[in-house]
């Protein structure tokens, strides 16, 4: 299987109240998690990034990545303290330009000796776009057409230098981009940095099949409200269905199943016994959903100010408000009236308060149990084609991966399910991806 590490700090997955929790800004935190991931022989280290701080009721959402340094800058620094670990940055294809980003990614690939990766994300909302000169608004239907063309242009730029080091002029005339000139950075050591994609819509799945090298799919995030990486594929059968659907789309693009790795984002809670693990998981959920966060989660569903409600009291009897803007920068997903009814039924059935309902209805840790049980379950998901591997989302910054590397990785190795040493120098070699064939013309 393939393993990657996601740096904590997004949404309420991270348990900031834990005394072991460290800074998400200080470089030592990034270095600790990256070194731990490399010690565990992980494929890559993954950084999320947002381009605007989300707001709730006109105030900054206090669970966001506030003050997080720019991802590619952090990864360039990590290239100097790691030797094998892949380095993946989330960079938005809506608010960047191909020439500039292709140059930065090629630079990281050179500085790291072929370990760069780009998680391609898109955005259509004008709220985020307010941070950009041109307003940044993009119709939702255009998000993936721009992203597909963006990646195509970046690859043309990387291919504009031959493997022998000869620069050639490039030119691209398309719907979203019209660029021509000469690229300043020689062809990256990997040929093309690895491209990761995280969308789950039909358009996102098609984009992954046509363009991506890996998919960061959504499983249990351990928090609520569910965001991009929630519990949509949190069962074995749901994971197998998603896996089969995306893999079958590859053929039309002349690609084979091994050309695209599907790696769900998951959380792990360990214990010396199954009962201890369940107890720790329950404690973590209680820490993740404070009384304040319970009301906030409720307001994101109901779309109105519910600050007068007692988090230890019953759910509101009023119905959610459609098209509410109480939260900015986060998409309200699904039928909120249906969600409210489901929550009311759950609360009535089990006699739960608001806070207890949010905890019960929210995301769960993906794998809970003894190290032996977790290793066996992870292996089973890969063997049964529900995943090619996993992106671990630690619950504590920055030491949350330590226990998994110390206690689960050796068991995976004993099972023959995970590498015992790095076999190659590049991220493509770690992932078993084919080397890109240089285009004949730029």
């Amino acid at each position: 299987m393939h393993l990657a590490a996601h740096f904590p700090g997004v949404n309420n997955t991270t348990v900031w109240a834990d005394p072991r929790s460290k800074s998400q800004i200080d470089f030592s935190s990034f270095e600790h998690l990256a070194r731990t991931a490399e010690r565990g022989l992980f494929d890559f280290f993954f950084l999320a990034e947002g381009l605007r701080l989300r707001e709730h009721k006109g105030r900054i959402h206090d669970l966001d990545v506030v003050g997080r340094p720019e991802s590619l800058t952090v990864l360039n620094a990590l290239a100097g303290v790691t030797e094998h670990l892949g380095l993946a940055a989330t960079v938005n294809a809506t608010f960047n330009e191909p020439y500039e980003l292709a140059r930065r990614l090629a630079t990281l690939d050179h500085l790291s000796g072929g370990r760069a990766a780009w998680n391609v994300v898109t955005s259509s909302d004008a709220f985020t776009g307010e941070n950009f000169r041109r307003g940044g608004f993009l119709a939702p239907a255009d998000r993936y057409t721009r992203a597909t063309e963006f990646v195509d242009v970046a690859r043309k730029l990387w291919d504009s230098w031959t493997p022998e080091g000869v620069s050639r002029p490039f030119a691209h005339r398309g719907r979203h981009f019209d660029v021509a000139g000469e690229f300043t950075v020689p062809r990256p050591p990997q040929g093309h940095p690895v491209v990761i994609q995280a969308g789950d819509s039909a358009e996102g799945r098609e984009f992954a099949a046509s363009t991506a090298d890996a998919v960061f799919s959504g499983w249990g995030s351990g928090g609520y409200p569910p965001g991009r990486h929630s519990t949509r594929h949190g069962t074995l059968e749901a994971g197998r269905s998603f896996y089969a659907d995306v893999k079958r789309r590859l053929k039309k693009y002349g690609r084979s199943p091994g050309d695209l790795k599907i790696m769900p984002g998951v959380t792990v809670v360990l214990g010396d016994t199954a009962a201890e693990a369940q107890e720790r998981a329950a404690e973590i959920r209680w820490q993740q959903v404070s009384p304040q966060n319970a009301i906030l989660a409720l307001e994101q569903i109901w779309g109105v100010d519910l600050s007068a409600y007692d988090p230890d009291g019953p759910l509101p009897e009023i119905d959610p408000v459609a098209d509410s803007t109480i939260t900015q920068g986060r998409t309200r997903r699904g039928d909120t009236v249906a969600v409210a009814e489901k929550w009311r039924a759950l609360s009535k059935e089990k006699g739960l308060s608001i806070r207890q309902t949010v905890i019960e209805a929210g995301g769960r840790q993906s794998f809970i149990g003894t190290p032996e049980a977790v290793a066996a379950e992870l292996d089973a998901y890969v063997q049964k084609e529900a995943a090619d591997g996993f992106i671990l989302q630690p619950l504590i910054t920055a030491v949350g991966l330590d226990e998994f590397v110390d206690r689960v990785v050796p068991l995976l190795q004993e099972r023959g399910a995970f590498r015992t040493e790095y076999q190659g120098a590049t991220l493509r070699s770690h992932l078993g991806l084919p080397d890109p064939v240089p285009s004949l013309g730029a």
Side-chain angles (χ1 to χ4, degrees):
M1 72 179 65
H2 299 283
L3 294 176
H6 182 283
F7 190 83
V10 181
N11 302 322
N12 62 334
T13 304
T14 307
V15 183
W16 294 111
D18 193 293
R20 297 171 294 169
S21 182
K22 303 297 182 184
S23 169
Q24 61 166 337
I25 298 173
D26 192 87
F27 181 69
S28 63
S29 292
F30 298 101
E31 182 178 8
H32 180 95
L33 188 65
R35 287 185 183 275
T36 303
E38 186 161 83
R39 177 166 61 84
L41 305 177
F42 278 39
D43 293 71
F44 61 89
F45 172 96
F46 183 93
L47 276 177
E49 185 168 70
L51 293 179
R52 178 160 181 175
L53 300 178
R54 292 180 297 199
E55 296 179 6
H56 184 73
K57 295 193 292 189
R59 301 179 65 184
I60 297 299
H61 189 296
D62 65 344
L63 295 175
D64 273 346
V65 184
V66 178
R68 171 75 63 81
E70 192 275 326
S71 295
L72 282 171
T73 305
V74 173
L75 295 182
N76 277 300
L78 290 175
V81 297
T82 56
E83 296 181 13
H84 304 282
L85 187 69
L87 303 167
T90 298
V91 186
N92 198 298
T94 305
F95 302 113
N96 283 280
E97 297 298 323
Y99 185 93
E100 188 268 345
L101 180 55
R103 189 167 180 260
R104 293 164 63 201
L105 287 165
T107 298
L108 174 60
D109 209 52
H110 279 285
L111 291 179
S112 65
R115 297 185 279 137
W118 169 26
N119 178 41
V120 183
V121 297
T122 64
S123 178
S124 63
D125 65 284
F127 176 76
T128 301
E130 289 177 358
N131 277 347
F132 295 85
R133 178 178 59 82
R134 60 182 171 83
F137 181 78
L138 189 68
D142 291 333
R143 290 184 304 158
Y144 283 114
T145 58
R146 177 183 168 94
T148 301
E149 187 177 342
F150 195 123
V151 176
D152 180 54
V153 176
R155 286 171 170 164
K156 287 181 178 178
L157 297 175
W158 296 325
D159 284 344
S160 68
W161 282 70
T162 70
E164 295 75 31
V166 177
S167 172
R168 301 169 296 177
F170 68 84
H172 174 88
R173 303 282 186 268
R175 177 184 173 188
H176 294 278
F177 305 105
D178 185 349
V179 295
E182 290 195 22
F183 197 49
T184 58
V185 184
R187 183 175 172 81
Q190 294 186 100
H192 301 163
V194 170
V195 171
I196 305 170
Q197 187 270 347
D200 185 51
S201 64
E203 295 86 355
R205 296 183 187 201
E206 205 66 26
F207 175 67
S210 67
T211 306
D213 300 305
V215 174
F216 183 4
S217 64
W219 272 19
S221 64
Y224 198 87
R228 181 183 298 272
H229 306 300
S230 60
T231 55
R232 293 188 303 279
H233 314 308
T235 66
L236 177 63
E237 287 308 312
R240 292 186 66 189
S241 176
F242 176 82
Y243 185 97
D245 178 64
V246 174
K247 295 278 187 172
R248 71 171 175 79
R249 296 171 189 256
L250 293 165
K251 186 176 180 180
K252 74 174 74 172
Y253 301 105
R255 307 179 70 196
S256 63
D259 293 344
L260 179 67
K261 308 301 179 184
I262 295 179
M263 301 178 66
V266 299
T267 57
V268 173
V269 178
L270 301 174
D272 291 335
T273 65
E276 180 184 319
Q278 290 292 343
E279 184 178 343
R280 289 182 66 185
E283 181 182 352
I284 288 167
R285 290 198 294 273
W286 194 255
Q287 290 176 306
Q288 288 170 330
V289 184
S290 66
Q292 176 192 10
N293 294 339
I295 295 299
L296 184 147
L298 208 67
E299 290 174 337
Q300 291 181 356
I301 299 297
W302 264 258
V304 294
D305 186 343
L306 300 174
S307 56
Y309 282 76
D310 181 357
D312 294 322
L315 269 67
E317 296 183 0
I318 59 174
D319 288 330
V321 174
D323 302 321
S324 171
T325 58
I326 193 170
T327 298
Q328 295 280 6
R330 179 196 286 275
T331 302
R332 296 176 78 200
R333 299 177 183 272
D335 183 344
T336 55
V337 173
V339 173
E341 287 302 318
K342 182 178 179 180
W343 282 22
R344 287 195 186 105
L346 177 65
S347 176
K348 182 178 180 181
E349 176 189 354
K350 297 189 175 183
L352 304 178
S353 67
I354 289 175
R355 186 182 183 190
Q356 291 169 332
T357 301
V358 172
I359 291 172
E360 184 72 17
R364 292 288 182 271
Q365 286 72 31
S366 313
F367 296 95
I368 304 170
T370 64
E372 293 79 8
V374 168
E377 194 172 6
L378 291 170
D379 190 20
Y381 271 77
V382 174
Q383 299 302 327
K384 295 179 181 180
E385 296 188 335
D388 293 308
F390 306 93
I391 298 179
L392 273 292
Q393 299 176 288
L395 298 169
I396 303 172
T397 306
V399 299
L401 192 65
D402 294 29
E403 188 176 20
F404 182 90
V405 168
D406 292 337
R407 303 187 68 186
V408 179
V409 167
L411 298 175
L412 292 173
Q413 292 168 331
E414 289 177 10
R415 299 175 69 92
F418 190 60
R419 66 171 63 93
T420 56
E421 61 180 346
Y422 287 109
Q423 297 295 326
T426 69
L427 177 54
R428 284 188 173 275
S429 67
H430 301 343
L431 291 170
L433 295 170
D435 291 331
V437 177
S439 58
L440 297 178

